[in-house]
Amino acid sequence: MDPDIASLAAMIADPSRAKMLTALLGGRALTATELALEADITAQTASNHLAKLLEKELLVVRKQGRHKYFQLAGEHIARLLESLMVLSHNITSIKTGPNDPSLKMSRVCYDHMAGEVAVALYDALLKQGFILDNIDHCTLSPAGERFFISLGADLTTITTKSRPICRPCLDWSERRSHLAGTLGQWILNDALQKGWAERDLVTRAIHFSPRGKRAFFNCYAIL
Amino acid sequence: MDPDIASLAAMIADPSRAKMLTALLGGRALTATELALEADITAQTASNHLAKLLEKELLVVRKQGRHKYFQLAGEHIARLLESLMVLSHNITSIKTGPNDPSLKMSRVCYDHMAGEVAVALYDALLKQGFILDNIDHCTLSPAGERFFISLGADLTTITTKSRPICRPCLDWSERRSHLAGTLGQWILNDALQKGWAERDLVTRAIHFSPRGKRAFFNCYAIL
DNA sequence: CCGATGCTTCGATGAGCAACGAAGTATATT
DNA sequence: AATATACTTCGTTGCTCATCGAAGCATCGG
């Protein structure tokens, strides 16, 4: 009858599983032992948890040799986790946003950027008319298509039907939407490839180099 | 450090609490005993659960004589619950949306309408230029203000700063956004007051009378 | 007042489940 | 082949927490 929200919530309600899931919010595929370390538990219990998360389809797994690489099952799971963060943060503490200033400025959210920079980027793209937003998704304008082609993007991989360009992925710290979806993914990868920024190896932070930040802001006309 | 999403999710992870919360998605304030009945538990255990839900600020309570009326703490909680429904439904079963056809057509989501009719209403308002949508909220256009004043709405109570006119409240069955917020609330109340529709006493369904439906569709130019 | 109703507190029970040690399977490395 | 690494399965332990009976407040109706 009613959908079983309790058993879905139960997957996130366990502290160890919650730690694993937030670790996977970084977007990287992690092995079972890495996740066990992240959650401070032994490999056995981690295996148990991961089996449950797979069964409930919160995660997907790729087997490579003797390793198993786990990932969030998709953007929808990432969105759910971030929205839980927004709420639990509003509820438990007064001050908004992450404590770490570098996380506040820019961090990875599944496969795209979040934080102050991401929100500013979104505004800039909107202002230049490169993206057009509807209520729950947004599309590339013709001008936007030309712009991203000029940056070297392959539009056939970006404008897919199965996944929108942009989704309202509510920003945990900023409480505003930022650019998710295939375009958000491309922009993050592009900035990393060009060496403008680097991903922190332990946290979800994205560190821009001084010149990388200038180049990034210049490229997208961010004020 | 990281927000405590586990304890928030734990509130929803218990089947009894989940039943109470979904019952409160109907928007009505319910008493402790009514919620106990809804969850099939005794008054004692219900009291225990409700205390926890209050402490975690998922609910608010209004005391009236010897009764206590519980409500969801706000629209943000309703949104979270609906999004959990969307996901758990996608996951556990193949077919989308509620089984009950009347629920699928129109139902209450906290304090506004959801379902096919609500999605069609949203499209109609957008098409006529009465509402303008941004990515995570939307506003009334001047033409929209005139339109709703002509319907007898008091704009001072609708255009409040603390709560947006419309929020992307993802529709469980339609998987599209519908009109939430103060305007959505007003439209539902107005339709009920005018006798166009009635709320089901047990489920969340909204039943339109034949002429009420004609009047409603005519009023908002829904196709 | 006194009984009835609505809700809460306390204590006991019991079930579910996270956790780990130990042992087993699979893959890699030498 | 031999050993190390990655993950799983099994059985046990122990803790958390939902549940309810019993008893206790508070409020309403007469």
mmCIF file of all heavy atoms in Angstrom, chain B residues 60-102:
data_model
loop_
_atom_site.group_PDB
_atom_site.id
_atom_site.type_symbol
_atom_site.label_atom_id
_atom_site.label_comp_id
_atom_site.label_asym_id
_atom_site.label_seq_id
_atom_site.Cartn_x
_atom_site.Cartn_y
_atom_site.Cartn_z
ATOM 1 N N VAL B 60 5.459 19.540 15.767
ATOM 2 C CA VAL B 60 5.134 20.573 16.746
ATOM 3 C C VAL B 60 3.803 20.168 17.370
ATOM 4 O O VAL B 60 3.073 19.352 16.817
ATOM 5 C CB VAL B 60 5.011 21.972 16.106
ATOM 6 C CG1 VAL B 60 6.363 22.478 15.677
ATOM 7 C CG2 VAL B 60 4.045 21.945 14.950
ATOM 8 N N VAL B 61 3.524 20.738 18.519
ATOM 9 C CA VAL B 61 2.319 20.330 19.239
ATOM 10 C C VAL B 61 1.574 21.562 19.732
ATOM 11 O O VAL B 61 2.166 22.603 20.029
ATOM 12 C CB VAL B 61 2.687 19.413 20.420
ATOM 13 C CG1 VAL B 61 3.426 20.175 21.486
ATOM 14 C CG2 VAL B 61 1.455 18.741 20.983
ATOM 15 N N ARG B 62 0.256 21.435 19.773
ATOM 16 C CA ARG B 62 -0.597 22.482 20.292
ATOM 17 C C ARG B 62 -1.465 21.827 21.348
ATOM 18 O O ARG B 62 -2.122 20.827 21.076
ATOM 19 C CB ARG B 62 -1.457 23.010 19.149
ATOM 20 C CG ARG B 62 -1.802 24.445 19.219
ATOM 21 C CD ARG B 62 -2.336 24.931 17.857
ATOM 22 N NE ARG B 62 -2.633 23.851 16.912
ATOM 23 C CZ ARG B 62 -3.804 23.728 16.291
ATOM 24 N NH1 ARG B 62 -4.774 24.575 16.542
ATOM 25 N NH2 ARG B 62 -4.003 22.760 15.409
ATOM 26 N N LYS B 63 -1.474 22.366 22.540
ATOM 27 C CA LYS B 63 -2.252 21.770 23.609
ATOM 28 C C LYS B 63 -3.618 22.435 23.652
ATOM 29 O O LYS B 63 -3.714 23.664 23.623
ATOM 30 C CB LYS B 63 -1.533 21.969 24.941
ATOM 31 C CG LYS B 63 -1.788 20.847 25.927
ATOM 32 C CD LYS B 63 -0.969 21.050 27.171
ATOM 33 C CE LYS B 63 -1.511 20.185 28.307
ATOM 34 N NZ LYS B 63 -0.780 20.412 29.556
ATOM 35 N N GLN B 64 -4.652 21.633 23.714
ATOM 36 C CA GLN B 64 -5.993 22.190 23.788
ATOM 37 C C GLN B 64 -6.774 21.368 24.783
ATOM 38 O O GLN B 64 -7.231 20.273 24.467
ATOM 39 C CB GLN B 64 -6.654 22.154 22.418
ATOM 40 C CG GLN B 64 -7.199 23.505 21.976
ATOM 41 C CD GLN B 64 -7.542 23.509 20.507
ATOM 42 O OE1 GLN B 64 -8.470 22.836 20.097
ATOM 43 N NE2 GLN B 64 -6.779 24.238 19.708
ATOM 44 N N GLY B 65 -6.910 21.926 25.983
ATOM 45 C CA GLY B 65 -7.587 21.172 27.031
ATOM 46 C C GLY B 65 -6.821 19.915 27.334
ATOM 47 O O GLY B 65 -5.608 19.949 27.528
ATOM 48 N N ARG B 66 -7.492 18.812 27.352
ATOM 49 C CA ARG B 66 -6.789 17.566 27.646
ATOM 50 C C ARG B 66 -6.262 16.888 26.394
ATOM 51 O O ARG B 66 -5.737 15.792 26.443
ATOM 52 C CB ARG B 66 -7.698 16.620 28.424
ATOM 53 C CG ARG B 66 -9.008 16.336 27.752
ATOM 54 C CD ARG B 66 -9.850 15.399 28.610
ATOM 55 N NE ARG B 66 -11.220 15.335 28.123
ATOM 56 C CZ ARG B 66 -12.160 14.596 28.683
ATOM 57 N NH1 ARG B 66 -11.894 13.886 29.747
ATOM 58 N NH2 ARG B 66 -13.381 14.572 28.193
ATOM 59 N N HIS B 67 -6.453 17.530 25.256
ATOM 60 C CA HIS B 67 -5.950 16.959 24.006
ATOM 61 C C HIS B 67 -4.628 17.598 23.622
ATOM 62 O O HIS B 67 -4.353 18.736 23.978
ATOM 63 C CB HIS B 67 -6.948 17.196 22.870
ATOM 64 C CG HIS B 67 -8.245 16.490 23.060
ATOM 65 N ND1 HIS B 67 -8.453 15.193 22.669
ATOM 66 C CD2 HIS B 67 -9.397 16.893 23.620
ATOM 67 C CE1 HIS B 67 -9.688 14.837 22.980
ATOM 68 N NE2 HIS B 67 -10.302 15.854 23.563
ATOM 69 N N LYS B 68 -3.842 16.846 22.868
ATOM 70 C CA LYS B 68 -2.637 17.401 22.277
ATOM 71 C C LYS B 68 -2.707 17.177 20.778
ATOM 72 O O LYS B 68 -2.816 16.032 20.326
ATOM 73 C CB LYS B 68 -1.395 16.719 22.857
ATOM 74 C CG LYS B 68 -0.936 17.289 24.168
ATOM 75 C CD LYS B 68 0.480 16.854 24.445
ATOM 76 C CE LYS B 68 1.066 17.566 25.643
ATOM 77 N NZ LYS B 68 2.465 17.143 25.880
ATOM 78 N N TYR B 69 -2.628 18.245 20.046
ATOM 79 C CA TYR B 69 -2.698 18.137 18.600
ATOM 80 C C TYR B 69 -1.302 18.226 18.006
ATOM 81 O O TYR B 69 -0.611 19.226 18.177
ATOM 82 C CB TYR B 69 -3.589 19.245 18.032
ATOM 83 C CG TYR B 69 -5.047 18.995 18.282
ATOM 84 C CD1 TYR B 69 -5.670 19.514 19.399
ATOM 85 C CD2 TYR B 69 -5.793 18.208 17.420
ATOM 86 C CE1 TYR B 69 -7.009 19.276 19.652
ATOM 87 C CE2 TYR B 69 -7.135 17.962 17.661
ATOM 88 C CZ TYR B 69 -7.734 18.497 18.773
ATOM 89 O OH TYR B 69 -9.061 18.252 19.016
ATOM 90 N N PHE B 70 -0.937 17.171 17.289
ATOM 91 C CA PHE B 70 0.396 17.115 16.685
ATOM 92 C C PHE B 70 0.321 17.434 15.200
ATOM 93 O O PHE B 70 -0.620 17.032 14.516
ATOM 94 C CB PHE B 70 1.009 15.728 16.881
ATOM 95 C CG PHE B 70 1.324 15.428 18.311
ATOM 96 C CD1 PHE B 70 0.365 14.854 19.142
ATOM 97 C CD2 PHE B 70 2.567 15.731 18.840
ATOM 98 C CE1 PHE B 70 0.645 14.577 20.464
ATOM 99 C CE2 PHE B 70 2.849 15.450 20.168
ATOM 100 C CZ PHE B 70 1.886 14.873 20.980
ATOM 101 N N GLN B 71 1.354 18.121 14.729
ATOM 102 C CA GLN B 71 1.472 18.439 13.307
ATOM 103 C C GLN B 71 2.923 18.294 12.880
ATOM 104 O O GLN B 71 3.824 18.352 13.714
ATOM 105 C CB GLN B 71 1.058 19.898 13.066
ATOM 106 C CG GLN B 71 -0.391 20.096 12.754
ATOM 107 C CD GLN B 71 -0.685 21.557 12.526
ATOM 108 O OE1 GLN B 71 -0.555 22.370 13.430
ATOM 109 N NE2 GLN B 71 -1.077 21.896 11.312
ATOM 110 N N LEU B 72 3.138 18.152 11.593
ATOM 111 C CA LEU B 72 4.508 18.196 11.089
ATOM 112 C C LEU B 72 5.092 19.569 11.403
ATOM 113 O O LEU B 72 4.375 20.569 11.388
ATOM 114 C CB LEU B 72 4.547 17.949 9.577
ATOM 115 C CG LEU B 72 4.085 16.574 9.108
ATOM 116 C CD1 LEU B 72 4.306 16.435 7.611
ATOM 117 C CD2 LEU B 72 4.821 15.473 9.835
ATOM 118 N N ALA B 73 6.388 19.603 11.661
ATOM 119 C CA ALA B 73 7.019 20.860 12.084
ATOM 120 C C ALA B 73 7.070 21.877 10.959
ATOM 121 O O ALA B 73 7.349 23.045 11.193
ATOM 122 C CB ALA B 73 8.421 20.599 12.605
ATOM 123 N N GLY B 74 6.796 21.461 9.749
ATOM 124 C CA GLY B 74 6.824 22.419 8.652
ATOM 125 C C GLY B 74 6.881 21.713 7.314
ATOM 126 O O GLY B 74 6.917 20.482 7.221
ATOM 127 N N GLU B 75 6.923 22.534 6.306
ATOM 128 C CA GLU B 75 6.896 22.009 4.957
ATOM 129 C C GLU B 75 8.150 21.202 4.656
ATOM 130 O O GLU B 75 8.111 20.246 3.883
ATOM 131 C CB GLU B 75 6.800 23.192 4.006
ATOM 132 C CG GLU B 75 6.173 22.884 2.687
ATOM 133 C CD GLU B 75 6.189 24.131 1.834
ATOM 134 O OE1 GLU B 75 6.036 25.242 2.377
ATOM 135 O OE2 GLU B 75 6.383 23.969 0.622
ATOM 136 N N HIS B 76 9.262 21.594 5.286
ATOM 137 C CA HIS B 76 10.518 20.894 4.992
ATOM 138 C C HIS B 76 10.423 19.421 5.393
ATOM 139 O O HIS B 76 10.981 18.556 4.727
ATOM 140 C CB HIS B 76 11.683 21.576 5.694
ATOM 141 C CG HIS B 76 11.450 21.823 7.155
ATOM 142 N ND1 HIS B 76 10.493 22.686 7.630
ATOM 143 C CD2 HIS B 76 12.029 21.303 8.251
ATOM 144 C CE1 HIS B 76 10.508 22.692 8.947
ATOM 145 N NE2 HIS B 76 11.433 21.862 9.350
ATOM 146 N N ILE B 77 9.719 19.147 6.474
ATOM 147 C CA ILE B 77 9.543 17.761 6.884
ATOM 148 C C ILE B 77 8.656 17.022 5.876
ATOM 149 O O ILE B 77 8.952 15.885 5.486
ATOM 150 C CB ILE B 77 8.920 17.690 8.284
ATOM 151 C CG1 ILE B 77 9.730 18.514 9.285
ATOM 152 C CG2 ILE B 77 8.822 16.252 8.744
ATOM 153 C CD1 ILE B 77 11.103 18.010 9.537
ATOM 154 N N ALA B 78 7.608 17.692 5.433
ATOM 155 C CA ALA B 78 6.724 17.075 4.441
ATOM 156 C C ALA B 78 7.496 16.740 3.167
ATOM 157 O O ALA B 78 7.325 15.666 2.585
ATOM 158 C CB ALA B 78 5.563 18.013 4.124
ATOM 159 N N ARG B 79 8.354 17.666 2.763
ATOM 160 C CA ARG B 79 9.144 17.424 1.552
ATOM 161 C C ARG B 79 10.051 16.231 1.715
ATOM 162 O O ARG B 79 10.192 15.409 0.818
ATOM 163 C CB ARG B 79 9.984 18.661 1.217
ATOM 164 C CG ARG B 79 9.345 19.607 0.261
ATOM 165 C CD ARG B 79 10.401 20.400 -0.501
ATOM 166 N NE ARG B 79 11.325 21.060 0.392
ATOM 167 C CZ ARG B 79 11.064 22.183 1.041
ATOM 168 N NH1 ARG B 79 9.897 22.771 0.904
ATOM 169 N NH2 ARG B 79 11.952 22.726 1.836
ATOM 170 N N LEU B 80 10.681 16.146 2.877
ATOM 171 C CA LEU B 80 11.572 15.013 3.129
ATOM 172 C C LEU B 80 10.804 13.699 3.042
ATOM 173 O O LEU B 80 11.252 12.743 2.404
ATOM 174 C CB LEU B 80 12.229 15.156 4.499
ATOM 175 C CG LEU B 80 13.079 13.975 4.954
ATOM 176 C CD1 LEU B 80 14.256 13.782 4.029
ATOM 177 C CD2 LEU B 80 13.553 14.154 6.385
ATOM 178 N N LEU B 81 9.642 13.653 3.659
ATOM 179 C CA LEU B 81 8.854 12.425 3.660
ATOM 180 C C LEU B 81 8.428 12.043 2.245
ATOM 181 O O LEU B 81 8.524 10.880 1.850
ATOM 182 C CB LEU B 81 7.629 12.593 4.559
ATOM 183 C CG LEU B 81 7.928 12.738 6.045
ATOM 184 C CD1 LEU B 81 6.665 13.040 6.828
ATOM 185 C CD2 LEU B 81 8.584 11.474 6.577
ATOM 186 N N GLU B 82 7.980 13.033 1.491
ATOM 187 C CA GLU B 82 7.555 12.720 0.128
ATOM 188 C C GLU B 82 8.730 12.231 -0.714
ATOM 189 O O GLU B 82 8.593 11.328 -1.526
ATOM 190 C CB GLU B 82 6.883 13.928 -0.536
ATOM 191 C CG GLU B 82 5.392 14.088 -0.201
ATOM 192 C CD GLU B 82 4.454 13.507 -1.281
ATOM 193 O OE1 GLU B 82 4.889 13.354 -2.427
ATOM 194 O OE2 GLU B 82 3.294 13.209 -0.949
ATOM 195 N N SER B 83 9.892 12.816 -0.504
ATOM 196 C CA SER B 83 11.034 12.388 -1.313
ATOM 197 C C SER B 83 11.473 10.983 -0.914
ATOM 198 O O SER B 83 11.914 10.201 -1.751
ATOM 199 C CB SER B 83 12.185 13.376 -1.193
ATOM 200 O OG SER B 83 12.769 13.311 0.087
ATOM 201 N N LEU B 84 11.320 10.644 0.358
ATOM 202 C CA LEU B 84 11.594 9.277 0.767
ATOM 203 C C LEU B 84 10.612 8.324 0.095
ATOM 204 O O LEU B 84 10.971 7.220 -0.301
ATOM 205 C CB LEU B 84 11.493 9.144 2.288
ATOM 206 C CG LEU B 84 12.730 9.537 3.069
ATOM 207 C CD1 LEU B 84 12.424 9.631 4.547
ATOM 208 C CD2 LEU B 84 13.832 8.514 2.847
ATOM 209 N N MET B 85 9.360 8.772 -0.016
ATOM 210 C CA MET B 85 8.360 7.934 -0.681
ATOM 211 C C MET B 85 8.720 7.701 -2.132
ATOM 212 O O MET B 85 8.593 6.599 -2.645
ATOM 213 C CB MET B 85 6.992 8.599 -0.596
ATOM 214 C CG MET B 85 6.338 8.461 0.743
ATOM 215 S SD MET B 85 4.667 9.078 0.691
ATOM 216 C CE MET B 85 4.163 8.706 2.358
ATOM 217 N N VAL B 86 9.148 8.768 -2.798
ATOM 218 C CA VAL B 86 9.542 8.638 -4.196
ATOM 219 C C VAL B 86 10.615 7.569 -4.328
ATOM 220 O O VAL B 86 10.497 6.639 -5.119
ATOM 221 C CB VAL B 86 10.078 9.971 -4.747
ATOM 222 C CG1 VAL B 86 10.633 9.784 -6.144
ATOM 223 C CG2 VAL B 86 8.981 11.015 -4.760
ATOM 224 N N LEU B 87 11.638 7.653 -3.488
ATOM 225 C CA LEU B 87 12.753 6.721 -3.609
ATOM 226 C C LEU B 87 12.352 5.308 -3.219
ATOM 227 O O LEU B 87 12.631 4.366 -3.948
ATOM 228 C CB LEU B 87 13.912 7.178 -2.726
ATOM 229 C CG LEU B 87 14.699 8.353 -3.270
ATOM 230 C CD1 LEU B 87 15.909 8.608 -2.412
ATOM 231 C CD2 LEU B 87 15.113 8.087 -4.703
ATOM 232 N N SER B 88 11.699 5.160 -2.086
ATOM 233 C CA SER B 88 11.390 3.809 -1.629
ATOM 234 C C SER B 88 10.438 3.135 -2.606
ATOM 235 O O SER B 88 10.453 1.924 -2.762
ATOM 236 C CB SER B 88 10.786 3.836 -0.230
ATOM 237 O OG SER B 88 9.520 4.444 -0.251
ATOM 238 N N HIS B 89 9.626 3.939 -3.257
ATOM 239 C CA HIS B 89 8.709 3.357 -4.214
ATOM 240 C C HIS B 89 9.451 2.898 -5.456
ATOM 241 O O HIS B 89 9.220 1.812 -5.962
ATOM 242 C CB HIS B 89 7.627 4.351 -4.589
ATOM 243 C CG HIS B 89 6.347 3.690 -4.945
ATOM 244 N ND1 HIS B 89 6.082 3.218 -6.187
ATOM 245 C CD2 HIS B 89 5.293 3.362 -4.177
ATOM 246 C CE1 HIS B 89 4.899 2.644 -6.181
ATOM 247 N NE2 HIS B 89 4.390 2.729 -4.973
ATOM 248 N N ASN B 90 10.332 3.741 -5.928
ATOM 249 C CA ASN B 90 11.147 3.352 -7.079
ATOM 250 C C ASN B 90 11.900 2.072 -6.794
ATOM 251 O O ASN B 90 12.089 1.235 -7.660
ATOM 252 C CB ASN B 90 12.176 4.444 -7.391
ATOM 253 C CG ASN B 90 11.528 5.651 -8.015
ATOM 254 O OD1 ASN B 90 10.339 5.624 -8.303
ATOM 255 N ND2 ASN B 90 12.306 6.687 -8.212
ATOM 256 N N ILE B 91 12.324 1.950 -5.552
ATOM 257 C CA ILE B 91 13.182 0.842 -5.222
ATOM 258 C C ILE B 91 12.417 -0.460 -5.040
ATOM 259 O O ILE B 91 12.744 -1.478 -5.625
ATOM 260 C CB ILE B 91 13.988 1.176 -3.942
ATOM 261 C CG1 ILE B 91 15.054 2.223 -4.275
ATOM 262 C CG2 ILE B 91 14.642 -0.061 -3.359
ATOM 263 C CD1 ILE B 91 15.718 2.816 -3.065
ATOM 264 N N THR B 92 11.361 -0.401 -4.234
ATOM 265 C CA THR B 92 10.717 -1.656 -3.856
ATOM 266 C C THR B 92 9.799 -2.205 -4.934
ATOM 267 O O THR B 92 9.640 -3.406 -5.046
ATOM 268 C CB THR B 92 9.911 -1.469 -2.566
ATOM 269 O OG1 THR B 92 9.027 -0.364 -2.758
ATOM 270 C CG2 THR B 92 10.822 -1.176 -1.404
ATOM 271 N N SER B 93 9.171 -1.344 -5.712
ATOM 272 C CA SER B 93 8.232 -1.881 -6.686
ATOM 273 C C SER B 93 8.491 -1.259 -8.033
ATOM 274 O O SER B 93 9.191 -0.273 -8.173
ATOM 275 C CB SER B 93 6.798 -1.616 -6.234
ATOM 276 O OG SER B 93 6.238 -0.531 -6.912
ATOM 277 N N ILE B 94 7.908 -1.841 -9.055
ATOM 278 C CA ILE B 94 8.167 -1.352 -10.396
ATOM 279 C C ILE B 94 7.190 -0.258 -10.792
ATOM 280 O O ILE B 94 7.574 0.790 -11.256
ATOM 281 C CB ILE B 94 8.103 -2.509 -11.425
ATOM 282 C CG1 ILE B 94 9.056 -3.608 -11.010
ATOM 283 C CG2 ILE B 94 8.424 -2.009 -12.809
ATOM 284 C CD1 ILE B 94 8.370 -4.792 -10.377
ATOM 285 N N LYS B 95 5.948 -0.537 -10.589
ATOM 286 C CA LYS B 95 4.938 0.421 -11.026
ATOM 287 C C LYS B 95 4.992 1.685 -10.169
ATOM 288 O O LYS B 95 5.187 1.638 -8.968
ATOM 289 C CB LYS B 95 3.552 -0.211 -10.968
ATOM 290 C CG LYS B 95 3.178 -0.783 -9.622
ATOM 291 C CD LYS B 95 1.731 -1.186 -9.639
ATOM 292 C CE LYS B 95 1.266 -1.620 -8.263
ATOM 293 N NZ LYS B 95 1.535 -2.972 -7.932
ATOM 294 N N THR B 96 4.809 2.814 -10.810
ATOM 295 C CA THR B 96 4.968 4.083 -10.105
ATOM 296 C C THR B 96 3.640 4.604 -9.598
ATOM 297 O O THR B 96 2.602 4.337 -10.169
ATOM 298 C CB THR B 96 5.618 5.127 -11.033
ATOM 299 O OG1 THR B 96 4.906 6.353 -10.917
ATOM 300 C CG2 THR B 96 5.547 4.699 -12.461
ATOM 301 N N GLY B 97 3.681 5.347 -8.528
ATOM 302 C CA GLY B 97 2.509 6.021 -8.016
ATOM 303 C C GLY B 97 1.655 5.151 -7.118
ATOM 304 O O GLY B 97 1.851 3.943 -7.015
ATOM 305 N N PRO B 98 0.710 5.785 -6.423
ATOM 306 C CA PRO B 98 -0.148 5.042 -5.502
ATOM 307 C C PRO B 98 -1.114 4.143 -6.269
ATOM 308 O O PRO B 98 -1.450 4.417 -7.413
ATOM 309 C CB PRO B 98 -0.913 6.151 -4.788
ATOM 310 C CG PRO B 98 -0.500 7.444 -5.403
ATOM 311 C CD PRO B 98 0.387 7.181 -6.549
ATOM 312 N N ASN B 99 -1.516 3.081 -5.619
ATOM 313 C CA ASN B 99 -2.430 2.145 -6.262
ATOM 314 C C ASN B 99 -3.821 2.748 -6.388
ATOM 315 O O ASN B 99 -4.493 2.589 -7.399
ATOM 316 C CB ASN B 99 -2.515 0.855 -5.451
ATOM 317 C CG ASN B 99 -1.151 0.234 -5.276
ATOM 318 O OD1 ASN B 99 -0.210 0.625 -5.963
ATOM 319 N ND2 ASN B 99 -1.037 -0.696 -4.371
ATOM 320 N N ASP B 100 -4.237 3.414 -5.335
ATOM 321 C CA ASP B 100 -5.562 4.003 -5.329
ATOM 322 C C ASP B 100 -5.657 5.093 -6.394
ATOM 323 O O ASP B 100 -4.948 6.086 -6.355
ATOM 324 C CB ASP B 100 -5.813 4.607 -3.936
ATOM 325 C CG ASP B 100 -7.244 5.072 -3.793
ATOM 326 O OD1 ASP B 100 -7.928 5.185 -4.824
ATOM 327 O OD2 ASP B 100 -7.662 5.307 -2.652
ATOM 328 N N PRO B 101 -6.537 4.919 -7.385
ATOM 329 C CA PRO B 101 -6.613 5.902 -8.472
ATOM 330 C C PRO B 101 -7.019 7.295 -7.998
ATOM 331 O O PRO B 101 -6.584 8.296 -8.556
ATOM 332 C CB PRO B 101 -7.650 5.303 -9.414
ATOM 333 C CG PRO B 101 -8.362 4.267 -8.629
ATOM 334 C CD PRO B 101 -7.410 3.784 -7.596
ATOM 335 N N SER B 102 -7.838 7.361 -6.944
ATOM 336 C CA SER B 102 -8.243 8.691 -6.487
ATOM 337 C C SER B 102 -7.072 9.406 -5.816
ATOM 338 O O SER B 102 -6.932 10.621 -5.910
ATOM 339 C CB SER B 102 -9.430 8.592 -5.525
ATOM 340 O OG SER B 102 -9.083 7.818 -4.400
#
